[in-house]
Amino acid sequence: MFGYRVPAPDEAMLISGGKRGLGGAPFRVVTGHGKFVLPVFRKVRFLTLSMCESEVSETCVTKQGIALTVRAVIAFKVGNDQESIVNAGQRFLSDQDQMSILTGRIFSGHLRSIIGSMTVEEIVTERQKLAVEVLDTSKTEMGKIGLTVDSLQIQSIDDGDTGYIDAMSAPHKAAIQRQAQIAQAQATQASAEAQQVAARNQAEYARQTSIVQAQYSAEVDRAQAEASQAGPLAQAHAQREVLAAQTELAERAAELRQQQLVAEIVKPAEAEAERIRVLAVAEAERMKIQAEAAASYDRVALDRMLIDQLPQIVKEASAGLQGANVNVLNGADGLGEIAAGLVGQGLTILDSVRKNLGTPNGDGNGGGSGAEVQRYLGGPRKQSGGDNGPIDVQ
């Protein structure tokens, strides 16, 4: 539309003519929107609000009297508020490049002032502190001309030919060089160790490879040897089995022959020996029985002979009673007792008869005969007096 003007986003539109602006300013400020401007009656100018840059290279003397060349970069712009735009517009609207020149001069003065109160060591080691102090001291002055500083960067500090900074940095350089040498030596050592490790690993790998190859070769040789010996070994194994079978057969044949010998010779011999032993025992038993029978026969014969001789014995005994004084008591019983006494007296005669017959004195058989005689005559006797004395029967 004819007469309607719109500023760019980084510009401020200044309209002069007509009524005054804020605070009695000779123009009105429009930012961020358009405005209808009457042609001929109003005049429009634009003030940049974008970031500007100013470089400073100033030779400054430190607190120690050492001259330093300081190079710095200042980033600044026109403030966004109405007052800053009015102040900047009144000063730089016709020649906006003057903002960088004036800002550089302002910061040069403040930079010389701040560096003059610091030592080289502080300036070198505390550049941020230097920048902050310069900004703080220049803020009020920059605000009066409608400018704001976004940042101040110290790019370089040079002492020329004095060599102060180099001398100051020499210990650090030496330490750095020493550390660099140490690091280099460590790196060299690490490299050498790595090479040695790599060489050992290669040697170990080669050794293991040789061992594996040797093992493979040995296994191949062993397999070939086993394959070549398989036939003879199989034949020898078969022969060994045949010999074992033959040995077992021979052992069984020997056992069978032994059993046959036992059945044919030992068993019959044992049976014959047992038969002979049984026959011998039977013969001995028979002879014992015959001997006992013969002894029994002799005893019976002897007893019979004694009985046959008994009348003669009694006769001889009665002959001894001739003229003897005999008193008989108890009738027939007393007479029997007398006869028994006579028989007892005749035992001496019996002994003599035995001797005549060849029978040993005290033999069990003869004694048995005497007992037979006593039982035959009627029991024991009691004798008192001598052979020719009187006999009393109680």
Side-chain angles (χ1 to χ4, degrees):
M1 181 181 290
F2 181 75
Y4 189 81
R5 307 294 295 274
V6 179
D10 58 348
E11 289 180 339
M13 186 172 62
L14 307 181
I15 303 173
S16 61
K19 58 182 180 180
R20 291 181 175 272
L22 183 63
F27 47 83
R28 288 177 296 170
V29 177
V30 178
T31 57
H33 59 87
K35 187 74 173 176
F36 183 77
V37 179
L38 292 174
V40 181
F41 298 100
R42 304 287 189 269
K43 188 175 182 179
V44 177
R45 301 286 298 273
F46 294 94
L47 179 65
T48 181
L49 301 179
S50 61
M51 181 66 65
C52 298
E53 180 182 289
S54 176
E55 293 185 1
V56 176
S57 179
E58 191 69 23
T59 300
C60 307
V61 180
T62 64
K63 183 179 179 179
Q64 299 161 315
I66 299 173
L68 298 177
T69 301
V70 180
R71 292 181 178 86
V73 176
I74 304 108
F76 67 95
K77 63 181 292 294
V78 177
N80 293 326
D81 59 287
Q82 289 278 64
E83 183 179 0
S84 297
I85 293 174
V86 171
N87 291 333
Q90 289 178 342
R91 291 172 175 81
F92 306 110
L93 186 57
S94 58
D95 188 3
Q96 297 184 24
D97 292 336
Q98 289 294 322
M99 288 189 293
S100 299
I101 298 172
L102 182 58
T103 300
R105 292 175 179 176
I106 293 172
F107 273 87
S108 296
H110 289 290
L111 191 61
R112 284 195 302 268
S113 175
I114 299 301
I115 288 177
S117 63
M118 299 176 65
T119 62
V120 177
E121 289 78 6
E122 292 175 346
I123 296 170
V124 172
T125 59
E126 300 180 6
R127 291 190 180 187
Q128 188 62 31
K129 178 181 178 181
L130 173 62
V132 170
E133 290 186 2
V134 172
L135 287 175
D136 290 340
T137 56
S138 61
K139 184 181 295 184
T140 303
E141 189 172 355
M142 293 291 289
K144 290 180 180 179
I145 60 176
L147 301 178
T148 59
V149 179
D150 289 339
S151 66
L152 171 63
Q153 297 294 328
I154 305 298
Q155 289 185 331
S156 64
I157 299 174
D158 186 12
D159 61 351
D161 296 333
T162 59
Y164 187 90
I165 296 177
D166 291 338
M168 184 179 65
S169 62
H172 301 285
K173 289 182 179 179
I176 292 172
Q177 290 178 355
R178 183 171 61 254
Q179 292 177 358
Q181 292 175 355
I182 293 173
Q184 183 63 35
Q186 292 177 350
T188 303
Q189 182 179 359
S191 176
E193 291 177 355
Q195 292 177 356
Q196 293 176 358
V197 171
R200 285 197 298 269
N201 292 336
Q202 291 178 356
E204 179 65 20
Y205 180 77
R207 186 182 69 84
Q208 293 179 356
T209 302
S210 300
I211 292 173
V212 171
Q213 290 177 350
Q215 291 176 350
Y216 288 162
S217 178
E219 290 179 357
V220 171
D221 294 340
R222 183 167 58 252
Q224 292 177 351
E226 291 177 355
S228 62
Q229 295 176 359
L233 287 175
Q235 184 176 2
H237 182 70
Q239 292 178 356
R240 185 167 59 252
E241 290 182 351
V242 171
L243 291 175
Q246 292 177 353
T247 302
E248 184 179 359
L249 182 60
E251 290 177 353
R252 290 184 179 179
E255 292 178 357
L256 181 60
R257 181 57 182 166
Q258 183 179 4
Q259 293 176 359
Q260 291 176 353
L261 291 175
V262 170
E264 294 175 357
I265 299 175
V266 177
K267 293 296 182 181
E270 290 180 352
E272 182 65 19
E274 182 65 17
R275 187 182 68 81
I276 294 172
R277 187 184 66 78
V278 171
L279 292 176
V281 171
E283 182 67 18
E285 187 68 19
R286 185 182 66 80
M287 294 178 66
K288 179 180 178 182
I289 293 172
Q290 289 178 355
E292 291 178 352
S296 176
Y297 176 79
D298 292 341
R299 185 170 63 252
V300 171
L302 179 62
D303 291 342
R304 182 174 295 276
M305 184 179 63
L306 289 176
I307 293 172
D308 292 339
Q309 293 295 327
L310 185 61
Q312 183 65 31
I313 294 171
V314 172
K315 181 178 179 181
E316 290 180 359
S318 64
L321 295 176
Q322 293 180 1
N325 186 14
V326 179
N327 296 322
V328 178
L329 300 178
N330 296 329
D333 294 334
L335 183 59
E337 292 177 357
I338 290 174
L342 290 176
V343 173
Q345 290 180 358
L347 290 174
T348 55
I349 298 173
L350 180 62
D351 291 336
S352 64
V353 173
R354 286 176 176 175
K355 290 180 181 180
N356 292 329
L357 294 176
T359 301
N361 189 17
D363 193 310
N365 296 330
S369 299
E372 293 283 344
V373 173
Q374 285 187 341
R375 286 195 298 274
Y376 179 79
L377 293 178
R381 66 181 178 85
K382 291 183 181 180
Q383 180 179 356
S384 62
D387 293 339
N388 298 319
I391 299 173
D392 294 332
V393 178
Q394 300 297 328

